[in-house]
Amino acid sequence: MRKPKGVIEVFLQPGELYFSDRYTRLRTLLGSCVSIVLWHREALLGGMCHYLLPTSCHPDHKPDGRYADGALHQLLREIRMSGTHARDYRIGLFGGGNMLESRNRQHIGQRNVEAGLALLAAHGLACHAQDVGGEGYRNLIFDVWSGSIALRHPNPQHVANRRNEASSS
């Protein structure tokens, strides 16, 4: 989708997250990492994280965007600070690819996906769209002004556990 005037583009590196308004396009590149994308249709607010691991092995760690639990904690804090409620957001989960061609069904990408889904469920939040698993990486673009999510898989043979529902429905 064409970018309106005044929109900033933010590229998320692993461990980063960003929450903003309608004047934002968020991008990232995912391998075994996972992004949780949240979009509020009426307020035109949204956020995205890019986490690397399911959880920290340190029980007393501060919320850290490198871990699923810390990244979601930080996104939920941003939502509260905006005066909106998490249950009013459309939520998508993307990534978790098998990057090392592991035959192990519990590779890190799969564990990242499971952690994200479990955390959303624990907070009473539904996942409305997902494109997870498979082989290789994904380019992810999220336009906060429209809720549009674009995914590109460089490998046309990509086979993923895929359930896509339009983020703007």
Side-chain angles (χ1 to χ4, degrees):
M1 173 179 268
R2 215 160 127 191
K3 181 173 75 166
K5 284 190 175 205
V7 168
I8 63 165
E9 291 199 31
V10 177
F11 185 86
L12 295 182
Q13 298 290 340
E16 294 181 338
L17 62 98
Y18 201 85
F19 185 86
S20 192
D21 61 17
R22 71 187 82 196
Y23 300 106
T24 310
R25 171 178 276 169
L26 301 173
R27 297 173 170 266
T28 199
L29 179 64
L30 300 165
S32 60
C33 295
V34 168
S35 279
I36 298 173
V37 177
L38 305 113
W39 183 61
H40 194 289
R41 183 181 198 144
E42 288 79 33
L44 296 181
L45 294 171
M48 181 164 75
C49 67
H50 179 150
Y51 66 85
L52 293 84
L53 297 167
T55 189
S56 170
C57 58
H58 303 291
D60 58 348
H61 78 280
K62 291 182 188 176
D64 184 333
R66 294 176 297 174
Y67 307 101
D69 52 356
L72 183 59
H73 174 82
Q74 290 178 8
L75 283 172
L76 294 175
R77 183 183 54 169
E78 293 288 338
I79 288 171
R80 283 190 304 275
M81 289 173 39
S82 76
T84 58
H85 302 282
R87 67 181 174 276
D88 297 329
Y89 283 73
R90 297 212 28 98
I91 302 171
L93 190 80
F94 306 96
N98 183 354
M99 298 304 293
L100 303 175
E101 298 180 13
S102 172
R103 295 185 197 274
N104 181 351
R105 295 186 68 161
Q106 286 295 335
H107 59 82
I108 189 61
Q110 182 61 36
R111 292 196 320 259
N112 279 336
V113 169
E114 290 169 0
L117 292 171
L119 284 164
L120 291 172
H123 286 279
L125 302 172
C127 183
H128 300 97
Q130 60 179 286
D131 186 292
V132 300
E135 303 290 327
Y137 65 93
R138 299 163 171 80
N139 287 302
L140 172 64
I141 302 171
F142 169 44
D143 295 333
V144 178
W145 68 86
S146 66
S148 173
I149 294 172
L151 282 168
R152 226 174 331 155
H153 299 277
N155 178 359
Q157 301 302 318
H158 171 78
V159 178
N161 172 14
R162 186 176 195 160
R163 186 185 88 216
N164 283 322
E165 298 173 16
S167 20
S168 57
S169 358

